[in-house]
Amino acid sequence: MKTIFYKTIGTWVILLGLSLGGCKKFIDVLPTGNKIPTTFADYEAFMRNEYDNQTSNINQAVYLLNDRFETQANLNYDQLGGANYNWNESANRINLNNADETTYYSLYLTISNSNLLIENVNKTTEATVAQKSELIAQAKILRTIAYYTLSNFYADTYEESNAADKRAVPLILSANIDAPHKQVTIKEIYDFMLKDIEEAIPSLNVTSATVLHPNLGAAYALRARIYLTMGKYDLALTAANEALKHNDKLFDWRAFYDQNKNNIEQVNGSGAPVYALSTSPMGFDFVETYYFRHGVTRNAGREFAIRTDRATKFESGDAAFAARWRRRTVGTDTYYYSITTGYFNHAGLTTNEVYLIKAECQARLNNIPGALSSLDAVRVKRIFAAQYAPSSATGIVQAVKLIQRTKANCLIYGIVPFADMRRLNKDKDYATTLTKTEGVQSLSLSPNSHMWTMPFPMGAIKNPGNGIIQQNVDK
């Protein structure tokens, strides 16, 4: 193993050999203020490094979905974001993607750190066999989360008929910078993810040291997500039920709104909204959490603003929407402004996702009453009592569409709405053409557009390390 060291002060970790080839040699002299990890605690610190190891930034997917409001000035500056936000199919996003490399490198940093743990934890001191096995298992879940996001960002969606023929992303199994890697097929990356979860489950516990350490419920929730993406509804349903055995709690957004109503509805002497802040309930102690992961909002702050046309996609009476965003006009721009601040579990694993995975699987397996019951378990905690009515559907398609409406809103800013839209676009019963108006221009994005697959960043293509990377999209 090449030299590895980490700083003893601060939260960031230095790994020699993190990227696919950005560093050409190792530093073999230990810098002052650093130490070579040898004990279990030394390596376990890598798991707690939330800013380098626990982040998934998928901002370009959020742009493409139009799940955020952005000013024209910012879009003029961020040309790749502008192309995705305005569905410019003629734009060469490969050429534009010469700076927006965060998604790629941050997730491969997670993978590199995970590989480091998997390769070395069994050699550490001051820990039991069970402790070591659990940490290795947690690293495998982390690695799988990263690969799922990468695959559903830079490669096409999973389809049984062609998954063995289409390229996915580089599969890297070592933290060693010299290790070879292969850009595997979509089938191979999904098989690998399921294998990692299968190997991890026996060593995971119901509870873990922190919410940054995936537990047993997280493993089953992730398995359910992957099987749903693959269209294996019976297996996804089994995994969802297993996850809910470990945590089935749902956050009560109606109660949260009532508790913060004075702040949320506050106005000044002229009757204008004050936009007073309440604290995000979706932080590290979020009752729905199996596993916490930072998303597009990493540091403590506000969520993105929401477009007015996107706001109409929330169900009438959605207390979570009312508690988190408020309509605002600045100059010529009108949008919904974030009124909560703190941390948000946008990229982790939560019970509301699992309930809605369960609901879709029940619907697909023609258990419509069961599907609507699972859906309404979520809705009854979100929709104000005065506007709540039990869900009703006459068939599978209608039920799935109701479930997807709630799911896209519950999981906004995460990879799941993007991954769901991609897979549903492959089915004529659910394929959706997105439309909007920008100024006087009518824009649309078809369900079969090439834009649903993001291009690898130029840095990865030009400097692929010990392997070859090919684009999965033409532009």
Side-chain angles (χ1 to χ4, degrees):
M1 181 184 72
K2 299 293 184 181
T3 303
I4 303 164
F5 65 89
Y6 71 93
K7 293 187 81 70
T8 57
I9 299 175
T11 60
W12 60 285
V13 177
I14 300 174
L15 291 179
L16 300 180
L18 288 178
S19 71
L20 301 185
C23 179
K24 296 301 183 185
K25 64 181 180 179
F26 290 91
I27 301 171
D28 293 316
V29 178
L30 183 66
T32 302
N34 298 277
K35 63 176 289 188
I36 296 174
T38 55
T39 69
F40 178 83
D42 291 338
Y43 279 94
E44 197 268 345
F46 285 90
M47 184 66 70
R48 296 171 184 266
N49 181 4
E50 61 190 270
Y51 294 108
D52 284 348
N53 200 35
Q54 306 277 358
T55 301
S56 297
N57 186 329
I58 49 125
N59 199 26
Q60 294 301 327
V62 176
Y63 272 140
L64 193 76
L65 288 174
N66 269 218
D67 276 351
R68 61 175 289 184
F69 167 80
E70 192 53 86
T71 64
Q72 190 58 52
N74 285 343
L75 294 174
N76 290 339
Y77 172 78
D78 179 4
Q79 291 185 309
L80 178 62
N84 285 318
Y85 189 79
N86 287 320
W87 306 329
N88 183 0
E89 294 191 309
S90 65
N92 190 329
R93 297 180 303 160
I94 293 173
N95 290 343
L96 294 178
N97 198 13
N98 56 9
D100 193 347
E101 302 178 338
T102 305
T103 303
Y104 188 85
Y105 286 113
S106 67
L107 288 165
Y108 273 109
L109 175 56
T110 296
I111 290 166
S112 183
N113 285 345
S114 299
N115 288 338
L116 179 76
L117 293 171
I118 293 164
E119 291 173 327
N120 295 287
V121 165
N122 274 331
K123 307 169 190 175
T124 61
T125 61
E126 301 176 20
T128 66
V129 171
Q131 287 174 314
K132 294 177 183 180
S133 297
E134 182 186 24
L135 186 57
I136 290 171
Q138 290 168 340
K140 288 184 176 183
I141 298 300
L142 235 62
R143 183 166 69 179
T144 298
I145 289 169
Y147 275 127
Y148 179 86
T149 305
L150 287 163
S151 298
N152 281 278
F153 195 85
Y154 293 114
D156 289 348
T157 192
Y158 183 96
E159 293 180 274
E160 190 74 29
S161 61
N162 58 34
D165 302 318
K166 287 188 173 184
R167 291 186 303 269
V169 297
L171 178 61
I172 302 174
L173 300 176
S174 174
N176 189 331
I177 193 173
D178 297 321
H181 67 82
K182 178 185 177 184
Q183 186 177 2
V184 296
T185 66
I186 294 173
K187 182 181 186 304
E188 287 173 321
I189 200 68
Y190 273 78
D191 287 347
F192 178 79
M193 290 189 289
L194 291 170
K195 177 176 176 287
D196 251 5
I197 296 173
E198 186 70 26
E199 292 175 352
I201 283 174
S203 298
L204 293 170
N205 293 315
V206 174
T207 59
S208 54
T210 74
V211 292
L212 301 177
H213 295 69
N215 56 27
L216 192 56
Y220 283 115
L222 185 56
R223 178 190 270 179
R225 178 190 288 181
I226 292 171
Y227 275 136
L228 179 66
T229 304
M230 298 174 76
K232 298 182 182 297
Y233 304 118
D234 53 344
L235 295 173
L237 179 58
T238 298
N241 283 328
E242 285 298 319
L244 292 172
K245 288 179 183 178
H246 299 291
N247 183 7
D248 63 356
K249 297 181 179 67
L250 288 165
F251 184 75
D252 192 335
W253 284 101
R254 302 193 303 189
F256 178 81
Y257 187 93
D258 288 342
Q259 291 161 7
N260 293 276
K261 186 174 181 177
N262 289 340
N263 275 352
I264 292 168
E265 298 181 357
Q266 187 177 350
V267 295
N268 61 25
S270 302
V274 174
Y275 307 106
L277 297 176
S278 54
T279 301
S280 163
M282 298 169 63
F284 300 111
D285 58 351
F286 191 35
V287 68
E288 297 184 355
T289 295
Y290 296 110
Y291 161 70
F292 182 97
R293 189 172 185 84
H294 296 280
V296 290
T297 306
R298 188 180 81 170
N299 298 313
R302 301 174 188 263
E303 296 179 279
F304 288 136
I306 290 181
R307 294 171 56 92
T308 54
D309 52 3
R310 177 62 180 87
T312 64
K313 296 180 181 180
F314 283 85
E315 187 174 350
S316 178
D318 191 321
F321 174 75
R324 291 160 65 185
W325 292 279
R326 196 168 183 188
R327 190 178 177 95
R328 184 182 197 183
T329 298
V330 178
T332 59
D333 293 324
T334 299
Y335 50 86
Y336 282 81
Y337 184 66
S338 172
I339 58 173
T340 55
T341 187
Y343 293 98
F344 302 89
N345 191 4
H346 287 148
L349 294 156
T350 57
T351 58
N352 64 36
E353 179 186 355
V354 174
Y355 273 99
L356 296 169
I357 289 173
K358 177 177 179 177
E360 181 174 345
C361 293
Q362 289 172 307
R364 299 282 192 167
L365 298 171
N366 206 27
N367 178 5
I368 304 302
L372 298 182
S373 176
S374 298
L375 168 60
D376 285 345
V378 176
R379 289 182 63 248
V380 76
K381 299 287 188 178
R382 288 181 67 96
I383 309 303
F384 290 121
Q387 289 147 296
Y388 176 82
S391 300
S392 62
T394 57
I396 293 173
V397 173
Q398 188 179 8
V400 170
K401 287 182 177 180
L402 288 176
I403 292 160
Q404 282 301 320
R405 174 182 64 175
T406 296
K407 192 177 181 188
N409 293 330
C410 285
L411 303 178
I412 191 170
Y413 301 144
I415 190 63
V416 171
F418 186 66
D420 279 349
M421 182 74 79
R422 283 156 39 98
R423 67 180 174 87
L424 292 168
N425 277 343
K426 298 296 183 179
D427 186 329
K428 63 180 177 59
D429 288 330
Y430 305 101
T432 302
T433 297
L434 299 181
T435 61
K436 68 173 180 176
T437 300
E438 291 290 343
V440 297
Q441 189 176 14
S442 297
L443 302 175
S444 64
L445 181 67
S446 71
N448 59 358
S449 172
H450 68 275
M451 298 191 80
W452 290 104
T453 298
M454 298 293 169
F456 288 120
M458 196 68 70
I461 297 296
K462 289 184 175 179
N463 190 13
N466 193 1
I468 297 172
I469 304 174
Q470 293 178 269
Q471 291 284 3
N472 295 321
V473 65
D474 292 332
K475 58 182 180 179

